[in-house]
Amino acid sequence: MDALRLLTPEITITIFAFAIISLDIAWNDENKSRRILPWLAFAGGLATLLMIFYIWPHVDQYNYTAATDAGREVPMLAVDRMSLFFKMIAVLTVILVGLSAGEYVEKHTPFRGEFYGLMLLAGLSIMLLVSSTNLIMIYLALEFLSITSYILTGFLRRDARSIEAALKYFLYGALASGVMLYGFSLLYGATGSVDLATIAGSLETTQAGLVVAAVILMLAGFGFKIALVPFHQWSPDAYEGAPTPITAFLSVGPKAAGLAVLIRVMVVALPAFDVNWTPILSLVAIFTMSVGNLVALWQTNMKRMLAYSSIAQAGYMLVGLAAWSAAPPSAVAYLGGVDAIMLFLLAYMFTNLGVFAIAIILENQMGTSEIADYAGLIRRSPYLSVALLIFFLSLVGIPPTSGFIGKLFVFGAAVNQGLYVLALFGVFNSVISVAYYFGVLRNVFFEKGSDESPIRVGVAMNTVVTITVVMTLLIALYGQPFIQLAADSAQILAANF
Amino acid sequence: MLEQIIFFALAAVAVLSALGVVFNKNVVHSALFLLLNFSTIAFLYFMLNAQFLGVAQILVYAGAIVVLFLFVVMLVGADVGEPLGNWLSGQNIFLMVLGLILLTVVGTAVFENTVLGAGGEMTPEVVAQFGQTEVIAAALFTQYTLPFQLVAVLLSVGVIGVVWLAQHQQRQKFRQVVAVLDAGWDGESQKVHHDKLRVNWLRRPKLFDFDWVEIARATDDDVARFTRQIENDEDRWRGLRYPQMVCVVSPECDLSESTHLKLRQMFGEVRTADVERGAQ
């Protein structure tokens, strides 16, 4: 396939995004046609998804071919199975968040067109980031994602908390970008190249402390996006203040993107570099899981609790990467931990977006997201209550839900590589997480609420909740296609083996 | 040898001016140190035979960006910042140790010459053959087309973000919105002409963007609730506009003196005049 066709998903989503922004300017407030803007964004997401499926069968030939920038159809980008998988995650997130945002956005801000346009552009930035194979492209795409995220986080300009969240996110983000860029410059100085595959080649001969410093600085930048401990301080504030649909987006999109670029850098650029990353990755994973889960225990606000919960979930994903890095050098082609991460991410995306959809519905109706206000939900909406139960079971990792399959694979990969302590920490953390998830459920099922009025759920919201519930159960009950998908997707272009 | 002397001199100026930016309490001085820092970096580019980059550095950073900083300082006001406090705190010492470790690692790598870099494709010979600007243009429009396009999209997003932050008027539909306190009016709002909207606050007791207040039929209690809500308004834009608004009080409306006083404190001008009444 030629370069232009490989880029059709990105081109499609860009066209839709700018069409929405232009139409938003062209049509004034009284124009009834403005109502189609959210649906145009939905159509854009679906079209992009179709393009990804269209490319999918054609990228098989690229497997495991060492290809530097010079010999590739699309310079600076790798269109491989892994990037397509993460693009699919990004687009699905944009679609589901866009669907569940309708009522919320209408209620809180008059800037509707911009919201959906920026959502699509945030999707675009993730799609570029996950296929970047070049430090310049990685930096630009990461900065693109950051800037769109800052704008969306502070989208409720009138709300002091939203602005505060955006400002904190921006200040931390600017610092993280600077640190990461410093790492890039050191790596460029040490190897003389910005292309990941070429860097890998140079590292076979260059072995210096400088590179360790460079890589650690880079990891800080990626860790910020994934919100790994100790780069997580921004996330609870940003998550709490941001518009709830954007919180949902932030908890999946940037995390997936950061994880993808981390995986690509680790797998493509660093295997030749003779440093054992397993202890570092394991330690970060243990801290991320433990801090996330322990602090979540004390939260009284649903959005804040989910922020810490998503920090912990990112820690589980990192277990997979630690497992990959622990594989013996003779088996570098083994991407065992990576497919576990992908399966986990797929499950996490549906589950977490489902939880957030419910949080958005309740916030639209009640105006708050305090956990105390979830009391007596079972009498107000049995459907949402049962859905919430399923989602929380999945986040804990109890069968028969997708979260169980995800954790089974991630911890299984760790055990396979003999990382028993890491796996044990993971299981132990899952047990801790039961406390706060079930604290919410106790409120929902057994407490009596002051308000008994039934919860009204719109068509779009109903669709989102139904899709996410079905997928959460389906990945567990009929898992073979999804496990196969994850295994197929763990194929990375330009890996030097 | 001469080159090395010039390099170390420039490097020393660059580091010292960077420290000046961070440690200066006066914002204007910091900006001027930043100017010095940017210019020194530009000279380093010149020394590396990258004249185009050097000129761009001076034009964009030393020129546009520092001027922009100074404009912001001028508009916002340059308060002398707070003293830095005890900078020998435990956290800072920890950070300094980390910084020293990094310095040692980078320093040893440079001085031991273990890292020389592979060197780029743009050797002085290539540059001399084609010319500085041509080489950069060729790279930008061939190898770096995609990042170049991405920067275009990124900047558009930045512009959208800035417009959204700076545009403080949300409503475009009506030229004037009047907050009406009329107990005898059952309706919530009424359109007068095509660009004026009258909203009955007593039926819709929330804050909205109004720019005129009319009190037709209301008790002291109603007005007190209204003023209390305005006092609690945290919106900065609206907060700035209340002292400039006109409040018209109908003569048949029997308000106490203290309520009048309150209204006079809150709004720019309080008139007594007939007020249009809403329909029953």
Side-chain angles (χ1 to χ4, degrees):
Chain A
M1 282 187 118
D2 52 287
L4 219 52
R5 259 195 277 172
L6 285 172
L7 286 179
T8 38
E10 283 86 350
I11 295 171
T12 314
I13 205 166
T14 316
I15 291 174
F16 271 94
F18 280 102
I20 289 170
I21 291 171
S22 314
L23 287 175
D24 187 58
I25 298 169
W27 291 336
N28 65 13
D29 278 357
E30 303 194 31
N31 198 326
K32 289 275 190 295
S33 325
R34 283 168 70 91
R35 291 191 173 281
I36 69 159
L37 290 180
W39 297 107
L40 201 58
F42 180 62
L46 282 186
T48 313
L49 205 57
L50 276 180
M51 290 300 161
I52 293 173
F53 289 141
Y54 159 67
I55 296 177
W56 180 267
H58 298 283
V59 297
D60 215 16
Q61 61 213 12
Y62 290 99
N63 291 337
Y64 303 145
T65 50
T68 55
D69 257 0
R72 200 181 298 148
E73 274 84 352
V74 194
M76 313 217 161
L77 293 182
V79 184
D80 51 15
R81 283 282 170 90
M82 185 189 90
S83 71
L84 284 181
F85 178 86
F86 278 99
K87 282 175 197 184
M88 195 179 72
I89 295 265
V91 176
L92 278 174
T93 308
V94 169
I95 291 176
L96 289 174
V97 170
L99 269 183
S100 51
E103 196 183 337
Y104 190 94
V105 174
E106 205 156 316
K107 223 172 170 172
H108 288 87
T109 163
F111 299 99
R112 247 168 287 166
E114 284 94 337
F115 183 88
Y116 292 103
L118 287 172
M119 280 292 300
L120 288 187
L121 287 174
L124 169 69
S125 64
I126 299 176
M127 290 165 69
L128 289 169
L129 187 54
V130 299
S131 37
S132 301
T133 58
N134 187 298
L135 294 183
I136 291 180
M137 201 67 196
I138 290 177
Y139 173 69
L140 279 177
L142 202 74
E143 202 63 356
F144 185 16
L145 173 60
S146 300
I147 288 175
T148 21
S149 306
Y150 305 149
I151 300 175
L152 287 169
T153 303
F155 210 79
L156 308 179
R157 245 183 3 173
R158 295 276 171 131
D159 187 343
R161 280 180 316 159
S162 174
I163 290 293
E164 186 195 331
L167 193 65
K168 277 185 181 160
Y169 194 7
F170 170 72
L171 289 177
Y172 277 111
L175 186 69
S177 286
V179 168
M180 184 186 71
L181 212 50
Y182 189 47
F184 283 179
S185 73
L186 290 181
L187 196 60
Y188 177 67
T191 59
S193 175
V194 282
D195 179 58
L196 291 183
T198 320
I199 289 174
S202 307
L203 287 182
E204 278 168 15
T205 49
T206 321
Q207 300 286 353
L210 185 60
V211 181
V212 177
V215 171
I216 287 177
L217 293 176
M218 273 164 58
L219 292 188
F222 303 149
F224 168 80
K225 272 276 149 252
I226 316 173
L228 297 176
V229 176
F231 314 109
H232 69 289
Q233 293 97 333
W234 60 277
S235 84
D237 288 324
Y239 281 31
E240 193 184 353
T244 315
I246 294 308
T247 314
F249 174 75
L250 290 182
S251 73
V252 181
K255 264 185 213 293
L259 209 62
V261 71
L262 180 62
I263 293 173
R264 193 178 290 281
V265 169
M266 296 296 283
V267 173
V268 176
L270 299 180
F273 191 55
D274 192 20
V275 169
N276 190 359
W277 297 107
T278 317
I280 298 180
L281 289 174
S282 304
L283 214 63
V284 174
I286 287 174
F287 271 111
T288 307
M289 290 185 292
S290 309
V291 170
N293 279 322
L294 288 175
V295 185
L297 288 174
W298 311 108
Q299 303 307 318
T300 55
N301 180 293
M302 185 72 171
K303 278 159 87 175
R304 227 178 150 77
M305 188 204 88
L306 287 173
Y308 283 106
S309 132
S310 73
I311 291 175
Q313 301 282 340
Y316 301 134
M317 293 181 218
L318 210 60
V319 172
L321 197 60
W324 167 79
S325 73
S330 58
V332 273
Y334 168 79
L335 286 174
V338 176
D339 70 341
I341 296 176
M342 288 171 160
L343 191 62
F344 189 96
L345 191 65
L346 193 69
Y348 169 74
M349 174 188 70
F350 284 115
T351 310
N352 219 43
L353 291 181
V355 177
F356 270 107
I358 292 177
I360 294 170
I361 294 171
L362 295 182
E363 201 184 331
N364 280 340
Q365 182 110 347
M366 311 189 297
T368 79
S369 49
E370 294 300 313
I371 293 172
D373 292 326
Y374 282 55
L377 185 67
I378 180 73
R379 274 181 291 279
R380 305 180 67 184
S381 174
Y383 177 51
L384 290 186
S385 307
V386 173
L388 199 64
L389 171 70
I390 293 170
F391 293 141
F392 278 164
L393 286 179
S394 174
L395 284 178
V396 177
I398 295 175
T401 56
S402 59
F404 169 70
I405 304 284
K407 277 192 182 164
L408 187 68
F409 271 72
V410 167
F411 297 155
V415 170
N416 262 342
Q417 297 306 324
L419 301 173
Y420 301 111
V421 179
L422 191 58
L424 208 65
F425 260 100
V427 174
F428 187 60
N429 264 294
S430 306
V431 175
I432 297 178
S433 72
V434 171
Y436 59 88
Y437 291 129
F438 281 48
V440 178
L441 291 177
R442 191 178 55 88
N443 256 352
V444 167
F445 286 98
F446 302 117
E447 296 285 315
K448 206 168 150 57
S450 49
D451 191 352
E452 299 265 294
S453 59
I455 301 278
R456 187 181 44 80
V457 186
V459 180
M461 279 307 209
N462 227 330
T463 318
V464 174
V465 174
T466 310
I467 290 176
T468 45
V469 166
V470 168
M471 290 310 288
T472 302
L473 293 175
L474 194 66
I475 292 175
L477 300 176
Y478 185 61
Q480 198 46 45
F482 299 98
I483 295 167
Q484 192 57 46
L485 175 73
D488 285 346
S489 304
Q491 297 177 347
I492 295 181
L493 172 63
N496 271 12
F497 36 72
Chain B
M1 188 61 205
L2 181 67
E3 201 183 321
Q4 279 195 355
I5 294 173
I6 299 177
F7 171 79
F8 279 112
L10 282 176
V13 175
V15 171
L16 288 177
S17 58
L19 289 175
V21 176
V22 180
F23 285 105
N24 231 297
K25 284 179 212 158
N26 189 320
V27 193
V28 179
H29 292 178
S30 283
L32 293 177
F33 271 117
L34 195 63
L35 181 64
L36 182 61
N37 181 265
F38 285 158
S39 316
T40 335
I41 305 282
F43 278 111
L44 288 179
Y45 286 148
F46 286 132
M47 285 180 63
L48 288 168
N49 271 328
Q51 290 88 351
F52 184 84
L53 266 188
V55 173
Q57 166 87 6
I58 289 181
L59 279 180
V60 177
Y61 286 90
I65 289 186
V66 173
V67 171
L68 206 65
F69 269 131
L70 289 172
F71 258 112
V72 172
V73 172
M74 188 184 85
L75 291 174
V76 179
D79 294 335
V80 174
E82 290 172 23
L84 291 167
N86 177 22
W87 56 280
L88 273 179
S89 64
Q91 194 190 10
N92 282 2
I93 290 173
F94 176 66
L95 292 177
M96 278 183 236
V97 171
L98 281 186
L100 281 178
I101 293 175
L102 187 63
L103 189 70
T104 327
V105 169
V106 177
T108 23
V110 171
F111 282 106
E112 282 180 351
N113 281 346
T114 47
V115 188
L116 287 171
E121 303 151 26
M122 299 301 159
T123 54
E125 291 75 38
V126 179
V127 174
Q129 195 184 346
F130 294 99
Q132 182 90 203
T133 326
E134 283 86 342
V135 170
I136 291 179
L140 212 53
F141 288 104
T142 54
Q143 199 185 347
Y144 289 91
T145 318
L146 209 60
F148 190 60
Q149 305 275 347
L150 177 55
V151 169
V153 181
L154 175 58
L155 290 181
S156 320
V157 171
V159 169
I160 293 170
V162 169
V163 169
W164 150 87
L165 259 180
Q167 184 192 25
H168 58 85
Q169 202 73 12
Q170 285 200 357
R171 158 179 49 81
Q172 296 141 5
K173 222 159 150 184
F174 298 102
R175 202 166 48 79
Q176 193 184 35
V177 173
V178 184
V180 186
L181 273 71
D182 188 347
W185 177 23
D186 283 340
E188 193 172 280
S189 65
Q190 175 198 12
K191 217 164 141 183
V192 190
H193 308 303
H194 63 284
D195 57 353
K196 184 172 165 186
L197 185 74
R198 287 164 56 83
V199 181
N200 191 357
W201 183 84
L202 293 176
R203 295 279 168 271
R204 193 179 179 281
K206 273 189 258 171
L207 282 175
F208 45 92
D209 287 350
F210 49 82
D211 23 38
W212 192 274
V213 181
E214 290 180 1
I215 301 178
R217 281 168 285 190
T219 63
D220 282 327
D221 273 356
D222 295 336
V223 179
R225 269 193 292 136
F226 181 59
T227 51
R228 205 176 310 129
Q229 198 171 47
I230 289 177
E231 277 167 354
N232 292 336
D233 189 2
E234 284 172 2
D235 190 298
R236 265 186 56 224
W237 299 112
R238 290 201 297 249
L240 291 172
R241 281 167 56 213
Y242 292 128
Q244 292 160 11
M245 272 181 212
V246 174
C247 171
V248 185
V249 183
S250 163
E252 58 185 287
C253 189
D254 189 25
L255 295 180
S256 73
E257 195 46 46
S258 66
T259 309
H260 270 283
L261 189 68
K262 186 94 201 166
L263 288 173
R264 272 197 295 275
Q265 284 169 352
M266 182 156 282
F267 299 111
E269 188 187 340
V270 180
R271 287 183 206 156
T272 307
D274 276 336
V275 169
E276 188 187 342
R277 286 187 182 181
Q280 276 297 329

